[in-house]
Amino acid sequence: TDDVSVYHKVVEIAGKIPVLVRGGGKASDEEILVRTEHLMQQGVKGIVYGRNVIQHQNPRGITQALMKVVHEKATAAEALKLLK
């Protein structure tokens, strides 16, 4: 689904199967970090992002920011500071 607000339903239906979310279209740093934060809050276990990392002007920085959100439960605002 493209609707981030309903991923809790996907997680619920999946039961004990971990849900990993694809990145989708190109997005701004803030948008991708906020989306990731909201997905993680709904019980998603991980992300599978391509173009938003590979095509980023700072792939290492966006990777570190995303890892903060996914693994350390950082907010998007906290993670965004790593890119500034």
Side-chain angles (χ1 to χ4, degrees), residues 2-35:
D2 289 334
D3 185 353
V4 173
S5 70
V6 299
Y7 264 91
H8 64 280
K9 293 180 183 179
V10 176
V11 171
E12 182 182 328
I13 291 167
K16 295 183 187 233
I17 299 169
V19 175
L20 306 175
V21 178
R22 296 183 317 142
K26 192 81 167 130
S28 70
D29 295 346
E30 183 176 8
E31 183 181 346
I32 197 75
L33 290 168
V34 167
R35 182 184 326 155

Side-chain angles (χ1 to χ4, degrees), residues 27-83:
S28 70
D29 295 346
E30 183 176 8
E31 183 181 346
I32 197 75
L33 290 168
V34 167
R35 182 184 326 155
T36 303
E37 177 184 1
H38 291 153
L39 289 165
M40 298 308 295
Q41 290 170 346
Q42 293 184 71
V44 167
K45 295 299 180 192
I47 56 173
V48 183
Y49 292 173
R51 81 188 87 224
N52 287 298
V53 174
I54 303 301
Q55 295 175 3
H56 194 277
Q57 64 184 7
N58 179 1
R60 180 183 176 138
I62 193 67
T63 299
Q64 289 174 333
L66 287 165
M67 288 177 67
K68 276 271 203 214
V69 173
V70 172
H71 296 292
E72 298 177 28
K73 309 234 184 297
T75 65
E78 293 167 338
L80 195 56
K81 291 178 186 175
L82 294 172
L83 294 169

